Amino acid sequence: MKLIFLGAPGAGKGTQAEKVSEYLNIPTISTGNIIREALKNGTEMGKKAKSYMDAGALVPDDVVIGIIQERLTQPDCENGFILDGFPRTIPQAEALDRMGIHIDRIIDIEVPDDTIAQRVSGRRVCAACGSSYHLDYKKPQVEGVCDRCQGALVQRKDDQPETVKERLAVYHEQTEPLKDYYAKSGKLVIVEGQERVEDTTALTIAAVKE
Ligand code: AMP
């Protein structure tokens, strides 16, 4: 199954993508994680992306399209995948169409902006493996330590309140039009984000099974 997870930054699409990835046994491909990894490794692409990312802006389309093109040729994508955070603009969606990839479903996780701002402030990520946690909703077993690899949990620079405001503005302007783009294909399913993560997961899994 080939899925796209849409939603504002902080709507919980990454968490839901991870759950569905386990459920369907297909990889999650997060352009944000790939870019953060490149940044950590000091690659040219990482250096190019840093200033955009830190400012809460989108990295140029040609960079992320290149990342996706390369990643989707890996053998683990053969039986399907979940795109988390791609496409984020109409040109990116058009590029994906041109790659001839047949997407089965687009899941849009909807959460109001004020709830997002509040949630994102509690978000923490593992500096080593990128796993995501939350101070209230998804606590690690040991405070400040990643359950998966024991790495240190940190707040992303772009999760600071001013940057979150900018990322939400960018989302509404550049990414939200994708809802109309995909609604036309009849494959868009809207999932209302719930207070409890597990309730949203139940709705998301049902949307995938529909
Ligand atoms: P995320 O972890 O998905 O919230 O992504 C973090 C940041 O990476 C975004 O704010 C952008 O700067 C960049 N990024 C990730 N995916 C994309 C994309 N598809 N298009 C442009 N920029 C992206």
Side-chain angles (χ1 to χ4, degrees):
M1 200 164 206
K2 294 176 180 154
L3 302 169
I4 291 174
F5 274 47
L6 276 184
K13 66 182 157 40
T15 304
Q16 296 308 326
E18 270 178 39
K19 303 272 183 198
V20 174
S21 157
E22 279 165 28
Y23 178 74
L24 294 176
N25 198 22
I26 50 175
T28 298
I29 298 167
S30 154
T31 36
N33 280 351
I34 295 174
I35 296 168
R36 277 186 288 276
E37 188 65 25
L39 233 161
K40 208 167 68 185
N41 295 332
T43 69
E44 272 314 304
M45 188 271 279
K47 283 183 208 155
K48 202 170 157 190
K50 184 178 180 349
S51 57
Y52 296 99
M53 209 169 183
D54 285 353
L58 293 184
V59 171
D61 286 336
D62 58 334
V63 176
V64 277
I65 290 167
I67 291 174
I68 284 293
Q69 247 162 352
E70 210 232 78
R71 181 63 186 85
L72 293 183
T73 60
Q74 305 293 314
D76 65 336
C77 293
E78 264 168 26
N79 296 324
F81 49 77
I82 300 171
L83 294 181
D84 164 22
F86 183 94
R88 259 178 157 104
T89 63
I90 299 277
Q92 291 178 20
E94 288 170 346
L96 192 63
D97 289 343
R98 280 198 301 276
M99 288 176 218
I101 290 162
H102 171 88
I103 300 291
D104 297 288
R105 203 147 300 165
I106 298 97
I107 312 280
D108 176 40
I109 313 237
E110 297 251 329
V111 174
D113 281 10
D114 46 354
T115 311
I116 287 184
Q118 187 198 345
R119 276 195 198 170
V120 167
S121 65
R123 185 153 77 173
R124 297 292 180 272
V125 292
C126 173
C129 76
S131 295
S132 151
Y133 296 86
H134 196 281
L135 299 182
D136 301 315
Y137 307 111
K138 196 183 166 199
K139 294 182 186 174
Q141 276 159 13
V142 178
E143 199 185 315
V145 180
C146 177
D147 292 346
R148 199 180 272 175
C149 79
Q150 275 70 56
L153 303 187
V154 296
Q155 184 173 43
R156 276 165 46 176
K157 203 166 173 180
D158 59 347
D159 275 351
Q160 321 256 335
E162 273 315 301
T163 318
V164 170
K165 241 192 231 170
E166 178 57 25
R167 290 169 69 201
L168 282 171
V170 167
Y171 166 76
H172 290 302
E173 193 186 317
Q174 300 195 57
T175 307
E176 217 168 11
L178 287 176
K179 279 199 272 178
D180 276 348
Y181 184 89
Y182 285 123
K184 286 183 195 130
S185 71
K187 295 177 190 160
L188 178 73
V189 185
I190 294 181
V191 170
E192 299 284 347
Q194 305 293 306
E195 175 78 30
R196 289 169 3 126
V197 174
E198 51 272 44
D199 293 340
T200 309
T201 303
L203 293 176
T204 308
I205 302 254
V208 168
K209 285 204 283 195
E210 247 172 41

